[in-house]
Amino acid sequence: MLGMCRGRRKFLAASLALLFIPALTWLYLSVGSFQVKPLPLSPLEAQSSTPVGGAERQALELRVRAVEEENRALRRELSRPPRSPSARLPNGGHHGNQSRTHSEEGTGDNEGQKAAVVGNSSDCVQQPVVDKCETIHVAIVCAGYNASRDVVTLVKSVLFHRRNPLHFHFITDSIAQQILSSLFHTWMVPAVRVDFYDADELKSEVSWIPNKHYSGIYGLMKLVLTKTLLSDLQRVIVLDTDITFATDIAELWAVFHKFKGQQVLGLVENQSDWYLGNLWKNHRPWPALGRGFNTGVILLLLDRLRKLRWEQMWRLTAERELMSMLSTSLADQDIFNAVIKQNPFLVHQLPCFWNVQLSDHTRSEKCYKDVSDLKVIHWNSPKKLRVKNKHVEFFRNLYLTFLEYDGNLLRRELFGCPSEADHNSENLQKTLSELDEDDPCYEFRRERFTVHRTHLYFLHYEYEPSSDNTDVTLVAQLSMDRLQMLEAICKHWEGPISLALYLSDAEAQQFLRYAQGSEVLMSRGNVGYHIVYKEGQFYPVNLLRNVAMRQVNTPYMFLSDIDFLPMYGLYEYLRKSVVQLDMANTKKALVVPAFETLRYRLSYPKSKAELLSQLDMGTLFTFRYHVWTKGHAPTNFAKWRTATTPYRVQWEADFEPYVMVRRDSPEYDRRFVGFGWNKVAHIMELDAQEYEFVVLPNAYMIHMPHAPSFDITKFRSNKQYRVCLKTLKEEFQQNMSRRYGFAALKYMTAENNS
């Protein structure tokens, strides 16, 4: 079959050559007496030097040059000796994992492991391959909370299909950088490198351009990538955040080998009539070549663009067009198209399957024959999954697949390529290898070192710091089965909240739909939702608490649990207590007494007097008095009933109150997972660091009833679970003795006496 393909290819090339030779002769004869000049290096020179009426001459020059280029390519193909299927030319690709691109990267006419068939064409027509160890570079402009969430679906689709090392270049604001740097750091995907570029430093480059597009100033930043990205980076694939890949991105990277002459931009034709100007009456678009090009997917030859003085080119074009157009409607796309209109030779037109556009007024379904041909789906519509297309069901399923795909499955290694050492990964593997797999408590010990993929600020967040430095954030963690508590807590606590949610990828999307459908949650901008993705068999309760604590940006935090409702007005009461008890200059943990009800529908007490009445009537109880009295006994509820001023209590064994502390307080110990001792150990740590426990006389919180958690069921039914918890407690106490010396002796004796 391979021999037949080569034979047909040679026959076709020879036939084309015979056709091109007379055509070339005719063109030269038809030129007449004028002299064909070589094209200038810069298209700007061509624009400035072309006399009035010389457009036809320049077009003819371009046609002649194109025929010459095709003829040379055919001669090279005909002169090439036959090769065996296994033969390969030196690849010239840049080897190495997670490394920068250098001048030799991606050059050469490679052939080998990854030849990709283009569209529906014959099996004989193949793209030049990409070496399996060649790093593919992807640039994405991403700003804000929503774009940071949307881009994850794109990244998943790329990682799912890829077989090459990847280097992502994110142009971000401070919000997106915080979110994405944390996400990739905890994702720990092998052979992936991420660099960030500060979008705020680029604003001055494009802020002079009025833009009506919803992307705002960030929609113009693709124009300055030649100046922004690494100076030794030669080529890059630029993607919008609303892209989904249905194939290996290496196939798109291989298209760079098809660029000829002065082609420096790879683009797909626009699939709407926008640039034809016939969408509505008096519609006046920016100038474009025919239908224009869509900039959701761009191949950029950065080194050649720099030589062509791209910065000067697009600026002059934008300045000229803005004199009449006044602003851009489609951000960078308008300016790219205006430049291409003047310099059409810059573009290598990509087949439409590299950017199937699903927006209003598109004709995307006319540009391909079968959905199996499609490579990239572009959801460039605010309607997202409601666009009109005969294959919209296929597109929707493809998108939802990656939206809810378990990102942990993408942590697979790339074999056969040298890789740069990832010290975090190496240290983790070393630590895990030192654990004894025969230890009955191995799974508990391993959980302490598991790195959970974490997406901070999954929803939009707004917080304005208070001027009096008394602000308090409520901290809690939850899983999907406690989602119903969120609205109630938001009604009881008006201050900032930091929540860590333990969810799968699919559950995260369910949460998103739930939150976006809730008027209560959508009306609150000061709630930070941080997704910690599920992994392992335990509920990492203390890791979740630590994640939520690290995102607190107020001076104080109230450490609560999701199934407690704070009393109305607790937020303001705690802020006043900060001043009254001089929290800024002392180490105090303010105790909020905890109560519980067994009734699902409770008339929540509006005052301490009403709470005491319900306590006397048996509607309320002190928290866990009937199953775990020691947990809250030191609060001294008898004294609290009549107290009018704060009073100090002493630490006792198994004390686990809910407290307000300063933001710089110690974190929770990660060795405790699931049920048991997770809060007890933290309170012991506070006591060891000489925190005073002060009970607030007019504060309270109430635990609401719910079904038992999976972890408490395991604790009650699994003897080995209880044995391991006891072992971890003993190890924690030994660690306390080593850290705090003689002062920690009381923890050992208290445990023995209890």
Side-chain angles (χ1 to χ4, degrees), residues 603-668:
S603 175
Y604 200 94
K606 304 293 193 301
S607 64
K608 179 177 179 178
E610 191 176 333
L611 179 136
L612 291 174
S613 174
Q614 293 187 11
L615 200 61
D616 293 337
M617 292 171 59
T619 306
L620 291 179
F621 309 92
T622 55
F623 184 55
R624 292 289 185 260
Y625 83 99
H626 54 301
V627 292
W628 186 244
T629 309
K630 293 162 57 175
H632 294 266
T635 302
N636 195 343
F637 289 100
K639 183 173 183 177
W640 182 82
R641 291 181 69 104
T642 58
T644 55
T645 58
Y647 58 93
R648 184 175 176 180
V649 295
Q650 298 297 318
W651 175 88
E652 295 178 20
D654 299 318
F655 191 29
E656 51 176 3
Y658 294 94
V659 296
M660 184 184 81
V661 290
R662 293 197 310 231
R663 183 175 57 187
D664 59 359
S665 298
E667 292 188 343
Y668 289 80

Side-chain angles (χ1 to χ4, degrees), residues 16-34:
L16 288 171
L18 291 173
L19 290 171
F20 272 121
I21 290 170
L24 182 64
T25 305
W26 179 85
L27 278 169
Y28 269 103
L29 289 174
S30 65
V31 171
S33 59
F34 85 85

Side-chain angles (χ1 to χ4, degrees), residues 223-374:
L223 294 164
V224 296
L225 292 183
T226 52
K227 189 174 181 180
T228 305
L229 299 178
L230 304 171
S231 59
D232 61 348
L233 183 58
Q234 284 196 332
R235 60 194 64 186
V236 68
I237 297 171
V238 186
L239 302 173
D240 280 354
T241 57
D242 52 1
I243 295 290
T244 305
F245 267 77
T247 192
D248 189 343
I249 196 171
E251 294 181 36
L252 181 57
W253 187 256
V255 177
F256 276 117
H257 295 279
K258 294 193 164 194
F259 281 34
K260 296 172 182 175
Q262 288 187 299
Q263 292 176 345
V264 290
L265 302 169
L267 292 162
V268 172
E269 185 182 51
N270 206 43
Q271 290 158 20
S272 80
D273 292 344
W274 178 270
Y275 287 109
L276 299 180
N278 58 9
L279 291 181
W280 57 79
K281 190 177 180 180
N282 299 325
H283 175 217
R284 184 167 170 250
W286 275 55
L289 196 65
R291 306 190 70 86
F293 295 92
N294 184 278
T295 55
V297 177
I298 316 175
L299 301 188
L300 287 186
L301 270 181
L302 295 168
D303 53 343
R304 292 192 197 172
L305 278 165
R306 293 178 185 119
K307 290 176 183 176
L308 289 171
R309 295 185 290 181
W310 168 253
E311 284 284 318
Q312 182 183 359
M313 191 187 303
W314 74 259
R315 283 176 182 275
L316 289 175
T317 301
E319 288 171 0
R320 181 178 65 246
E321 297 300 333
L322 283 169
M323 292 178 68
S324 58
M325 298 302 298
L326 304 181
S327 68
T328 62
S329 295
L330 300 182
D332 66 275
Q333 186 166 297
D334 284 338
I335 297 174
F336 269 103
N337 276 290
V339 173
I340 291 167
K341 174 79 171 178
Q342 295 294 319
N343 308 277
F345 52 85
L346 295 175
V347 180
H348 175 88
Q349 184 169 338
L350 302 175
C352 78
F353 50 63
W354 284 118
N355 184 356
V356 177
Q357 301 144 38
L358 299 178
S359 65
D360 299 329
H361 314 298
T362 58
R363 53 193 281 278
S364 57
E365 58 193 65
K366 297 179 181 178
C367 84
Y368 61 88
K369 294 180 180 177
D370 198 301
V371 290
S372 62
D373 301 333
L374 303 184

